[in-house]
Amino acid sequence: MANAMLEIRNLDASVGVADVEILKGLNMTVRRGEVHAIMGPNGSGKSTLAYVLAGHPGYVVTGGEVLFEGQNLLAMEPEDRARAGLFLSFQHPVEVPGVRLSEFLRAGYNSIRKSRGEEEMSARLFNQMLREKAQLVEMEPSLIQRSVNEGFSGGERKRNEVLQMAILEPKLAVLDEPDSGLDVDAVRIVANGIERLRRSDRAIILITHYQRILDYVVPDYVHVIVDGRIVKSGDKDLALEVESVGYDKYEEELEKSLSG
Amino acid sequence: MTSPRTISKETGIDDTGYKYGFVTDIETESAPPGLSEDIVRFISAKKNEPEWMLEWRLKAYRHFISLLDNEQLPKWAHIHHAPIDFQQIIYYSAPKPKKKLESLDELDPEILKTYEKLGIPLEEQKLLAGVAVDAVFDSVSVITTFKEELAKHGIIFCSMSEAVQNHPDLVQKYLGSVVPYTDNFYAALNSAVFSDGSFCYVPKGVRCPFELTTYFRINTAQSGQFERTLIVADEGSYVSYLEGCSAPMRDENQLHAAVVELVTLDNAEIKYSTIQNWYPGDENGKGGIFNFVTKRGKCQGVNSKISWTQVETGSAITWKYPSVILQGDNSIGEFYSVALTKGYQQADTGTKMTHLGKNTRSRIVSKGISAGHGSNTYRGLVKVMPKADNARNFTQCDSLLVGDKCGAHTTPYVEVQNNTAHLEHEAFTGRVSEEQLFYCRQRGLSSEEATALIINGFCKEVFKNLPFEFAVEATRLLEANLEGSVG
Ligand SMILES: Nc1ncnc2c1ncn2[C@@H]1O[C@H](COP(=O)(O)OP(=O)(O)OP(=O)(O)O)[C@@H](O)[C@H]1O
Ligand SMILES: [Mg+2]
């Protein structure tokens, strides 16, 4: 376990007020440089896992633990997780009206730098970097001067999330469906962008419903999550199997193992 | 077993972050507390005023006393406070010695230091940055900088006391022409006892090349500040004016009852911006400034324009409705406002647009932010008179709530007596959403930084109307004021 970047042990989590258990004893280990794909039916808890890792205050952890580089991740504030190098690409990124994307990102970027005792970057240099990195996902440069996600199309929002990952250079990136709602070309562009951000010292958890993105970002592991648990793990071929047979099989297996 | 810390919805308030709460140690000359005809005469005599000025003050004083006797204090505003004892207030307080200053070197170094702490560019080199400053300390205008440069353009920018001495014709013609002393309770009080303020006259066809600034500071305990500002833009002229304010932290409430009058003649424009950061009181609602201000502009000439932009973050209570009378045909009135209330602050603010002339247009953008136990009321009136053909108004009043113990109220009134009028109204009330906060925090911002960023975005439409440096200051001020109000 020397290289484990992320250790999730028996994680139970429920959603705020409703008190509904969503994650039910989830286990997962992610090492530096690895790409883990997570697949699973709607409502199985994929986004919940992503949110819990990032520290969304609406979710409550009721059991288990998560270590990030040996630290107790669950005790950290969301911004401290971000500063420690955890990044979440949102399935549904929100709008922040009146705040320019460039301004928003520079604020976050500098906040992270400050927390590491580094100097803040000037607006001029930052915007230059932003324009360069925007090319990675072929993002329309004019979007950078618009309010964060305001009036962005679904595809533009996804590119924007990957752009943000490129800027913030996280150690661990959790990408929640970066490919959903994208046209064929956009999937290729976004997937290539992610692939180029793959590094030996960076881990990626890639949540998706489609095998297609995995042709570009070939995962080291694929996990199938059903009803808040990982029911099967394998290599990239598992994604192909899921796509051809669907989830029924895993759901049935899960039921059998629970009753048996 | 650990669980992530949930962010409490309750908002912890900490008002001790007020950075301007120091008291300056200077000798002052003050009148004894209390209001009487003698005090009015004392103030007028101190200023060596001509007879007409004294007469006007006395008329205002008598009117005020009749209102006070009949208990006609303003009651309609959505604010609450203990009754003000007008006999406990000091109506005149001035730094001593009060001889005419020829240069900055002669100014009391303690006052200079105060303004330095406040970050006001009083020194000559900073003036090169293009800001001309009139500083009002307690009641008296301390120094007006950049005068010579302005004189070259024929612009008069001086203290009201000086204007009464040196430009009596202009003062007599315009003082009280927009806000008569009979206008309201506090306007009457101000007219009787106003001690100083700024006066500006921009002659025909001149575009004032600088931002003119007045900085107000209340220092002496128990003193009220009653300044009077009058700006006249003659035909085809333009001026942009900024007002800033602060006061030391004191346990007792202090009264600020100013009157500002603006007049634009044909084709003239005045842009008036305020950044108000009076001491708001402590975390329990003790102390702070009562800010009861009458501000009104009159677009007297055709095609003229008056634009108010205000950022209100301070004061225990703010009661203020910068208004525009659209008299000249095709004239334009604008009101852009950000009002932040936190702790136990109360703000009742808004505007009144009175359309008299044809094709007159007005635009109102009000952004109210409430945090802690703050209460924020927008009160607006758009009035279209019978002769105002084709009048247009656009009103947008938005409220943003931070936490769940604060309140926002919007009370827009319309009164239309001409059926060619076209009025549009938009309103929005929302909370800083948890999703937005989380998104920002996931990118590395603390919850305070995130809140400030979201609120800044919410205020963008107003801030973009401020001169650049002041927009930066306004942003900083909001952030400073939100410190401790979140999380
Ligand atoms: N705020 C909430 N209140 C009530 N239930 C919630 C809330 N958030 C999530 N849930 C429920 O939790 C379950 C898991 O949701 P989650 O978003 O994690 O699913 P998912 O696997 O990401 O699904 P999808 O593939 O559709 O994105 C769902 O049944 C969902 O309805
Ligand atoms: Mg999801």
Side-chain angles (χ1 to χ4, degrees):
Chain A
M1 290 275 157
N3 270 340
M5 175 177 271
L6 185 74
E7 262 306 323
I8 305 175
R9 296 188 192 134
N10 293 317
L11 186 63
D12 296 330
S14 61
V15 64
V17 203
D19 228 19
V20 192
E21 275 275 279
I22 299 166
L23 299 183
K24 300 167 184 170
L26 191 133
N27 287 289
M28 193 173 170
T29 302
V30 180
R31 280 170 293 265
R32 230 165 289 281
E34 291 177 350
V35 172
H36 290 240
I38 295 183
M39 304 180 87
N42 295 130
S44 55
K46 303 181 296 300
S47 294
T48 302
L49 173 63
Y51 276 143
V52 166
L53 291 177
H56 192 296
Y59 295 81
V60 181
V61 175
T62 50
E65 62 177 352
V66 179
L67 297 177
F68 178 59
E69 295 198 307
Q71 288 189 76
N72 177 4
L73 186 72
L74 302 177
M76 294 160 75
E77 293 291 338
E79 58 270 33
D80 294 328
R81 302 183 195 199
R83 292 166 187 174
L86 188 147
F87 176 86
L88 169 61
S89 165
F90 287 71
Q91 184 177 356
H92 303 289
V94 291
E95 297 182 356
V96 189
V99 179
R100 265 191 209 166
L101 180 56
S102 55
E103 216 181 317
F104 169 79
L105 260 180
R106 187 161 59 89
Y109 181 79
N110 278 332
S111 204
I112 291 175
R113 281 178 74 116
K114 252 194 323 207
S115 74
R116 294 177 185 161
E118 294 164 8
E119 223 174 288
E120 293 188 23
M121 192 185 266
S122 73
R124 201 176 53 81
L125 285 178
F126 182 82
N127 288 339
Q128 202 177 320
M129 172 173 86
L130 194 54
R131 276 193 301 275
E132 279 163 21
K133 302 228 166 166
Q135 292 169 8
L136 182 79
V137 284
E138 299 180 23
M139 190 152 114
E140 183 61 42
S142 67
L143 287 180
I144 293 167
Q145 296 310 324
R146 287 194 8 211
S147 293
V148 179
N149 292 322
E150 204 177 25
F152 282 28
S153 74
E156 285 166 345
R157 288 184 192 213
K158 299 286 165 152
R159 287 179 203 228
N160 182 16
E161 292 297 291
V162 178
L163 167 63
Q164 299 191 32
M165 170 180 168
I167 294 286
L168 298 177
E169 307 246 15
K171 291 180 185 163
L172 171 66
V174 181
L175 311 176
D176 193 356
E177 301 193 21
D179 56 338
S180 59
L182 297 186
D183 65 46
V184 196
D185 295 330
V187 170
R188 177 177 41 81
I189 292 161
V190 166
N192 278 330
I194 296 169
E195 179 60 19
R196 281 167 60 191
L197 292 171
R198 197 166 173 172
R199 289 198 334 216
S200 59
D201 57 352
R202 173 175 295 149
I204 296 176
I205 296 176
L206 175 52
I207 298 169
T208 184
H209 286 293
Y210 310 105
Q211 134 71 25
R212 171 180 284 274
I213 191 172
L214 304 180
D215 287 341
Y216 302 93
V217 187
V218 181
D220 301 297
Y221 299 92
V222 174
H223 309 279
V224 176
I225 179 170
V226 174
D227 194 24
R229 299 170 180 87
I230 290 178
V231 293
K232 183 155 189 184
S233 298
D235 63 9
K236 60 181 168 35
D237 294 337
L238 180 57
L240 290 168
E241 181 186 306
V242 165
E243 193 146 88
S244 63
V245 303
Y247 294 109
D248 287 356
K249 170 180 156 196
Y250 306 105
E251 283 166 357
E252 281 161 21
E253 278 174 25
L254 177 68
E255 262 167 49
K256 238 188 277 167
S257 76
L258 285 178
S259 57
Chain B
M1 190 164 102
T2 28
S3 46
R5 235 186 76 195
T6 357
I7 296 172
S8 163
K9 273 266 182 63
E10 259 164 90
T11 304
I13 307 123
D14 177 11
D15 282 331
T16 51
Y18 191 72
K19 291 194 184 73
Y20 308 101
F22 51 87
V23 177
T24 308
D25 187 17
I26 44 156
E27 258 195 274
T28 55
E29 182 181 38
S30 302
L35 183 60
S36 65
E37 197 166 311
D38 284 346
I39 287 290
V40 176
R41 288 180 188 279
F42 170 83
I43 294 169
S44 187
K46 268 282 162 211
K47 302 183 156 293
N48 216 356
E49 285 178 352
E51 192 58 30
W52 59 265
M53 194 67 253
L54 175 63
E55 276 313 309
W56 195 72
R57 285 179 182 276
L58 288 172
K59 274 193 249 168
Y61 168 74
R62 285 170 202 134
H63 183 70
F64 174 75
I65 292 299
S66 74
L67 292 177
L68 193 60
D69 288 348
N70 297 316
E71 293 186 6
Q72 288 181 351
L73 276 83
K75 287 197 192 81
W76 39 266
H78 193 91
I79 54 180
H80 311 276
H81 60 82
I84 300 169
D85 184 348
F86 291 95
Q87 296 305 343
Q88 286 302 318
I89 293 171
I90 295 172
Y91 289 90
Y92 184 82
S93 166
K96 210 162 125 179
K98 218 240 131 191
K99 74 177 171 75
K100 254 207 138 337
L101 298 163
E102 295 305 326
S103 84
L104 278 172
D105 302 337
E106 294 177 44
L107 192 63
D108 188 328
E110 285 296 321
I111 295 183
L112 263 187
K113 260 192 246 160
T114 302
Y115 285 120
E116 262 164 37
K117 271 198 232 176
L118 295 167
I120 303 162
L122 262 180
E123 307 128 64
E124 298 291 347
Q125 73 268 25
K126 285 192 190 157
L127 294 178
L128 297 174
V131 182
V133 178
D134 185 25
V136 178
F137 200 87
D138 279 348
S139 303
V140 175
S141 176
V142 185
I143 195 161
T144 307
T145 53
F146 237 49
K147 213 176 276 184
E148 275 167 40
E149 183 60 30
L150 292 167
K152 258 198 271 174
H153 296 87
I155 297 167
I156 303 166
F157 180 42
C158 62
S159 71
M160 188 55 96
S161 315
E162 273 177 79
V164 170
Q165 302 297 333
N166 302 334
H167 311 282
D169 42 337
L170 284 172
V171 175
Q172 247 183 306
K173 183 166 176 189
Y174 291 109
L175 188 74
S177 73
V178 186
V179 181
Y181 63 78
T182 49
D183 191 82
N184 69 68
F185 187 81
Y186 292 107
L189 178 62
N190 173 285
S191 303
V193 301
F194 77 87
S195 30
D196 218 330
S198 295
F199 173 80
C200 176
Y201 170 80
V202 190
K204 277 185 195 165
V206 172
R207 270 189 81 83
C208 182
F210 319 104
E211 306 283 344
L212 300 183
T213 300
T214 299
Y215 206 92
F216 295 106
R217 171 95 184 147
I218 298 180
N219 190 56
T220 306
Q222 270 182 288
S223 69
Q225 181 151 319
F226 307 95
E227 79 278 354
R228 183 115 199 162
T229 297
L230 173 61
I231 301 173
V232 180
D234 211 328
E235 292 171 20
S237 69
Y238 166 82
V239 62
S240 166
Y241 192 92
L242 187 111
E243 173 200 290
C245 342
S246 68
M249 290 199 239
R250 295 189 185 283
D251 281 349
E252 68 274 19
N253 295 112
Q254 285 180 286
L255 180 62
H256 176 246
V259 172
V260 177
E261 296 177 279
L262 312 180
V263 180
T264 49
L265 303 186
D266 292 355
N267 304 303
E269 178 176 350
I270 298 175
K271 201 169 144 61
Y272 193 105
S273 316
T274 306
I275 293 188
Q276 188 265 106
N277 188 27
W278 298 116
Y279 176 55
D282 69 11
E283 67 273 24
N284 299 314
K286 194 166 163 51
I289 301 290
F290 287 174
N291 190 33
F292 300 151
V293 174
T294 306
K295 289 184 165 176
R296 194 175 304 148
K298 183 155 84 173
C299 287
Q300 198 168 309
V302 297
N303 306 317
S304 66
K305 178 172 173 183
I306 289 176
S307 172
W308 298 102
T309 304
Q310 61 172 27
V311 178
E312 304 280 320
T313 60
S315 294
I317 300 179
T318 297
W319 178 94
K320 170 175 168 189
Y321 315 90
S323 304
V324 185
I325 298 168
L326 297 150
Q327 186 179 347
D329 290 347
N330 312 317
S331 58
I332 299 174
E334 291 176 339
F335 174 74
Y336 296 99
S337 169
V338 165
L340 169 73
T341 53
K342 62 174 196 310
Y344 286 85
Q345 281 178 282
Q346 306 172 46
D348 192 299
T349 181
T351 186
K352 192 156 109 183
M353 295 287 177
T354 309
H355 294 254
L356 296 169
K358 295 183 185 22
N359 307 314
T360 46
R361 279 177 288 159
S362 59
R363 184 178 176 83
I364 298 168
V365 178
S366 162
K367 305 273 179 176
I369 303 146
S370 320
H373 294 79
S375 154
N376 214 321
T377 301
Y378 168 81
R379 188 183 304 281
L381 171 62
V382 178
K383 199 168 175 175
V384 180
M385 303 304 280
K387 292 198 175 126
D389 292 341
N390 303 313
R392 285 174 160 272
N393 164 266
F394 172 77
T395 297
Q396 181 180 345
C397 43
D398 298 340
S399 311
L400 194 64
L401 306 176
V402 185
D404 54 9
K405 294 203 158 47
C406 49
H409 317 266
T410 52
T411 322
Y413 299 98
V414 287
E415 231 181 273
V416 179
Q417 303 175 33
N418 181 315
N419 57 18
T420 61
H422 186 83
L423 276 63
E424 266 178 84
H425 183 93
E426 283 175 14
F428 152 91
T429 300
R431 271 167 210 286
V432 173
S433 85
E434 197 169 10
E435 296 311 315
Q436 284 173 331
L437 278 176
F438 180 63
Y439 191 57
C440 296
R441 296 176 77 190
Q442 209 308 298
R443 299 309 184 238
L445 296 173
S446 68
S447 57
E448 277 169 8
E449 290 170 323
T451 309
L453 191 78
I454 293 164
I455 288 176
N456 259 315
F458 175 74
C459 301
K460 187 65 126 257
E461 249 181 292
V462 173
F463 285 174
K464 73 178 188 213
N465 287 291
L466 287 171
F468 179 73
E469 316 84 281
F470 301 125
V472 174
E473 189 186 329
T475 306
R476 274 210 317 262
L477 198 59
L478 266 193
E479 279 164 21
N481 270 290
L482 284 163
E483 257 169 51
S485 291
V486 196

PDB file of all heavy atoms in Angstrom, chain B residues 464-481:
ATOM      1  N   LYS B 464     -19.988  48.230 -11.784  1.00  0.00           N
ATOM      2  CA  LYS B 464     -19.384  48.669 -13.044  1.00  0.00           C
ATOM      3  C   LYS B 464     -19.687  50.133 -13.336  1.00  0.00           C
ATOM      4  O   LYS B 464     -19.076  50.729 -14.205  1.00  0.00           O
ATOM      5  CB  LYS B 464     -19.798  47.744 -14.195  1.00  0.00           C
ATOM      6  CG  LYS B 464     -21.205  47.901 -14.646  1.00  0.00           C
ATOM      7  CD  LYS B 464     -21.500  46.981 -15.833  1.00  0.00           C
ATOM      8  CE  LYS B 464     -22.870  47.306 -16.372  1.00  0.00           C
ATOM      9  NZ  LYS B 464     -23.576  46.170 -16.917  1.00  0.00           N
ATOM     10  N   ASN B 465     -20.602  50.717 -12.561  1.00  0.00           N
ATOM     11  CA  ASN B 465     -20.876  52.142 -12.713  1.00  0.00           C
ATOM     12  C   ASN B 465     -19.973  53.012 -11.854  1.00  0.00           C
ATOM     13  O   ASN B 465     -20.015  54.231 -11.940  1.00  0.00           O
ATOM     14  CB  ASN B 465     -22.331  52.438 -12.342  1.00  0.00           C
ATOM     15  CG  ASN B 465     -23.262  51.926 -13.404  1.00  0.00           C
ATOM     16  OD1 ASN B 465     -23.287  52.450 -14.500  1.00  0.00           O
ATOM     17  ND2 ASN B 465     -23.984  50.875 -13.096  1.00  0.00           N
ATOM     18  N   LEU B 466     -19.187  52.391 -10.994  1.00  0.00           N
ATOM     19  CA  LEU B 466     -18.283  53.167 -10.148  1.00  0.00           C
ATOM     20  C   LEU B 466     -17.001  53.441 -10.910  1.00  0.00           C
ATOM     21  O   LEU B 466     -16.565  52.619 -11.704  1.00  0.00           O
ATOM     22  CB  LEU B 466     -17.928  52.380  -8.876  1.00  0.00           C
ATOM     23  CG  LEU B 466     -18.989  52.230  -7.797  1.00  0.00           C
ATOM     24  CD1 LEU B 466     -18.505  51.244  -6.747  1.00  0.00           C
ATOM     25  CD2 LEU B 466     -19.305  53.575  -7.152  1.00  0.00           C
ATOM     26  N   PRO B 467     -16.368  54.595 -10.628  1.00  0.00           N
ATOM     27  CA  PRO B 467     -15.040  54.819 -11.185  1.00  0.00           C
ATOM     28  C   PRO B 467     -14.136  53.659 -10.767  1.00  0.00           C
ATOM     29  O   PRO B 467     -14.287  53.140  -9.658  1.00  0.00           O
ATOM     30  CB  PRO B 467     -14.583  56.118 -10.505  1.00  0.00           C
ATOM     31  CG  PRO B 467     -15.829  56.776 -10.019  1.00  0.00           C
ATOM     32  CD  PRO B 467     -16.827  55.701  -9.767  1.00  0.00           C
ATOM     33  N   PHE B 468     -13.203  53.279 -11.626  1.00  0.00           N
ATOM     34  CA  PHE B 468     -12.444  52.050 -11.433  1.00  0.00           C
ATOM     35  C   PHE B 468     -11.864  51.866 -10.019  1.00  0.00           C
ATOM     36  O   PHE B 468     -12.094  50.855  -9.379  1.00  0.00           O
ATOM     37  CB  PHE B 468     -11.333  51.903 -12.473  1.00  0.00           C
ATOM     38  CG  PHE B 468     -10.526  50.666 -12.283  1.00  0.00           C
ATOM     39  CD1 PHE B 468     -11.064  49.414 -12.595  1.00  0.00           C
ATOM     40  CD2 PHE B 468      -9.241  50.710 -11.755  1.00  0.00           C
ATOM     41  CE1 PHE B 468     -10.340  48.258 -12.401  1.00  0.00           C
ATOM     42  CE2 PHE B 468      -8.511  49.557 -11.548  1.00  0.00           C
ATOM     43  CZ  PHE B 468      -9.059  48.329 -11.877  1.00  0.00           C
ATOM     44  N   GLU B 469     -11.113  52.880  -9.536  1.00  0.00           N
ATOM     45  CA  GLU B 469     -10.460  52.709  -8.221  1.00  0.00           C
ATOM     46  C   GLU B 469     -11.490  52.444  -7.131  1.00  0.00           C
ATOM     47  O   GLU B 469     -11.245  51.717  -6.181  1.00  0.00           O
ATOM     48  CB  GLU B 469      -9.668  53.931  -7.749  1.00  0.00           C
ATOM     49  CG  GLU B 469      -8.801  54.624  -8.742  1.00  0.00           C
ATOM     50  CD  GLU B 469      -9.569  55.618  -9.584  1.00  0.00           C
ATOM     51  OE1 GLU B 469     -10.265  55.207 -10.528  1.00  0.00           O
ATOM     52  OE2 GLU B 469      -9.486  56.810  -9.301  1.00  0.00           O
ATOM     53  N   PHE B 470     -12.633  53.080  -7.282  1.00  0.00           N
ATOM     54  CA  PHE B 470     -13.646  52.954  -6.248  1.00  0.00           C
ATOM     55  C   PHE B 470     -14.371  51.625  -6.346  1.00  0.00           C
ATOM     56  O   PHE B 470     -14.826  51.091  -5.346  1.00  0.00           O
ATOM     57  CB  PHE B 470     -14.595  54.130  -6.305  1.00  0.00           C
ATOM     58  CG  PHE B 470     -13.876  55.437  -6.120  1.00  0.00           C
ATOM     59  CD1 PHE B 470     -13.987  56.445  -7.052  1.00  0.00           C
ATOM     60  CD2 PHE B 470     -13.051  55.636  -5.027  1.00  0.00           C
ATOM     61  CE1 PHE B 470     -13.293  57.631  -6.896  1.00  0.00           C
ATOM     62  CE2 PHE B 470     -12.350  56.819  -4.866  1.00  0.00           C
ATOM     63  CZ  PHE B 470     -12.474  57.822  -5.805  1.00  0.00           C
ATOM     64  N   ALA B 471     -14.435  51.100  -7.541  1.00  0.00           N
ATOM     65  CA  ALA B 471     -15.013  49.764  -7.692  1.00  0.00           C
ATOM     66  C   ALA B 471     -14.134  48.769  -6.943  1.00  0.00           C
ATOM     67  O   ALA B 471     -14.623  47.869  -6.269  1.00  0.00           O
ATOM     68  CB  ALA B 471     -15.116  49.402  -9.168  1.00  0.00           C
ATOM     69  N   VAL B 472     -12.823  48.966  -7.049  1.00  0.00           N
ATOM     70  CA  VAL B 472     -11.891  48.092  -6.335  1.00  0.00           C
ATOM     71  C   VAL B 472     -12.092  48.256  -4.833  1.00  0.00           C
ATOM     72  O   VAL B 472     -12.170  47.287  -4.089  1.00  0.00           O
ATOM     73  CB  VAL B 472     -10.429  48.419  -6.727  1.00  0.00           C
ATOM     74  CG1 VAL B 472      -9.448  47.624  -5.875  1.00  0.00           C
ATOM     75  CG2 VAL B 472     -10.212  48.145  -8.207  1.00  0.00           C
ATOM     76  N   GLU B 473     -12.234  49.525  -4.404  1.00  0.00           N
ATOM     77  CA  GLU B 473     -12.436  49.777  -2.976  1.00  0.00           C
ATOM     78  C   GLU B 473     -13.749  49.157  -2.492  1.00  0.00           C
ATOM     79  O   GLU B 473     -13.810  48.565  -1.417  1.00  0.00           O
ATOM     80  CB  GLU B 473     -12.440  51.284  -2.711  1.00  0.00           C
ATOM     81  CG  GLU B 473     -12.422  51.596  -1.225  1.00  0.00           C
ATOM     82  CD  GLU B 473     -12.581  53.086  -0.923  1.00  0.00           C
ATOM     83  OE1 GLU B 473     -12.145  53.903  -1.745  1.00  0.00           O
ATOM     84  OE2 GLU B 473     -13.167  53.403   0.124  1.00  0.00           O
ATOM     85  N   ALA B 474     -14.779  49.294  -3.313  1.00  0.00           N
ATOM     86  CA  ALA B 474     -16.087  48.750  -2.935  1.00  0.00           C
ATOM     87  C   ALA B 474     -16.007  47.239  -2.760  1.00  0.00           C
ATOM     88  O   ALA B 474     -16.548  46.674  -1.811  1.00  0.00           O
ATOM     89  CB  ALA B 474     -17.127  49.115  -3.982  1.00  0.00           C
ATOM     90  N   THR B 475     -15.286  46.593  -3.667  1.00  0.00           N
ATOM     91  CA  THR B 475     -15.121  45.152  -3.587  1.00  0.00           C
ATOM     92  C   THR B 475     -14.412  44.765  -2.290  1.00  0.00           C
ATOM     93  O   THR B 475     -14.840  43.869  -1.575  1.00  0.00           O
ATOM     94  CB  THR B 475     -14.292  44.652  -4.787  1.00  0.00           C
ATOM     95  OG1 THR B 475     -14.922  45.128  -5.974  1.00  0.00           O
ATOM     96  CG2 THR B 475     -14.229  43.155  -4.825  1.00  0.00           C
ATOM     97  N   ARG B 476     -13.330  45.492  -1.996  1.00  0.00           N
ATOM     98  CA  ARG B 476     -12.584  45.213  -0.769  1.00  0.00           C
ATOM     99  C   ARG B 476     -13.440  45.424   0.470  1.00  0.00           C
ATOM    100  O   ARG B 476     -13.392  44.654   1.421  1.00  0.00           O
ATOM    101  CB  ARG B 476     -11.360  46.138  -0.684  1.00  0.00           C
ATOM    102  CG  ARG B 476     -10.145  45.624  -1.393  1.00  0.00           C
ATOM    103  CD  ARG B 476      -8.882  46.128  -0.682  1.00  0.00           C
ATOM    104  NE  ARG B 476      -9.003  47.529  -0.319  1.00  0.00           N
ATOM    105  CZ  ARG B 476      -8.498  48.535  -1.030  1.00  0.00           C
ATOM    106  NH1 ARG B 476      -7.834  48.285  -2.119  1.00  0.00           N
ATOM    107  NH2 ARG B 476      -8.651  49.784  -0.632  1.00  0.00           N
ATOM    108  N   LEU B 477     -14.226  46.493   0.410  1.00  0.00           N
ATOM    109  CA  LEU B 477     -15.070  46.838   1.540  1.00  0.00           C
ATOM    110  C   LEU B 477     -16.101  45.744   1.802  1.00  0.00           C
ATOM    111  O   LEU B 477     -16.335  45.345   2.935  1.00  0.00           O
ATOM    112  CB  LEU B 477     -15.781  48.153   1.220  1.00  0.00           C
ATOM    113  CG  LEU B 477     -16.370  48.915   2.382  1.00  0.00           C
ATOM    114  CD1 LEU B 477     -15.291  49.258   3.387  1.00  0.00           C
ATOM    115  CD2 LEU B 477     -17.013  50.191   1.850  1.00  0.00           C
ATOM    116  N   LEU B 478     -16.711  45.248   0.746  1.00  0.00           N
ATOM    117  CA  LEU B 478     -17.682  44.163   0.894  1.00  0.00           C
ATOM    118  C   LEU B 478     -17.017  42.957   1.527  1.00  0.00           C
ATOM    119  O   LEU B 478     -17.561  42.343   2.446  1.00  0.00           O
ATOM    120  CB  LEU B 478     -18.222  43.746  -0.476  1.00  0.00           C
ATOM    121  CG  LEU B 478     -19.497  44.377  -0.974  1.00  0.00           C
ATOM    122  CD1 LEU B 478     -20.005  43.595  -2.169  1.00  0.00           C
ATOM    123  CD2 LEU B 478     -20.565  44.374   0.112  1.00  0.00           C
ATOM    124  N   GLU B 479     -15.818  42.641   1.034  1.00  0.00           N
ATOM    125  CA  GLU B 479     -15.117  41.483   1.578  1.00  0.00           C
ATOM    126  C   GLU B 479     -14.816  41.685   3.061  1.00  0.00           C
ATOM    127  O   GLU B 479     -15.050  40.812   3.878  1.00  0.00           O
ATOM    128  CB  GLU B 479     -13.827  41.225   0.792  1.00  0.00           C
ATOM    129  CG  GLU B 479     -14.116  40.464  -0.484  1.00  0.00           C
ATOM    130  CD  GLU B 479     -12.988  40.508  -1.495  1.00  0.00           C
ATOM    131  OE1 GLU B 479     -11.838  40.780  -1.114  1.00  0.00           O
ATOM    132  OE2 GLU B 479     -13.286  40.284  -2.684  1.00  0.00           O
ATOM    133  N   ALA B 480     -14.313  42.870   3.391  1.00  0.00           N
ATOM    134  CA  ALA B 480     -13.989  43.157   4.786  1.00  0.00           C
ATOM    135  C   ALA B 480     -15.239  43.078   5.650  1.00  0.00           C
ATOM    136  O   ALA B 480     -15.216  42.556   6.756  1.00  0.00           O
ATOM    137  CB  ALA B 480     -13.357  44.533   4.913  1.00  0.00           C
ATOM    138  N   ASN B 481     -16.353  43.560   5.115  1.00  0.00           N
ATOM    139  CA  ASN B 481     -17.581  43.566   5.889  1.00  0.00           C
ATOM    140  C   ASN B 481     -18.183  42.183   6.055  1.00  0.00           C
ATOM    141  O   ASN B 481     -18.947  41.936   6.980  1.00  0.00           O
ATOM    142  CB  ASN B 481     -18.603  44.488   5.243  1.00  0.00           C
ATOM    143  CG  ASN B 481     -18.475  45.891   5.777  1.00  0.00           C
ATOM    144  OD1 ASN B 481     -18.806  46.149   6.922  1.00  0.00           O
ATOM    145  ND2 ASN B 481     -17.929  46.772   4.972  1.00  0.00           N
TER     146      ASN B 481
END
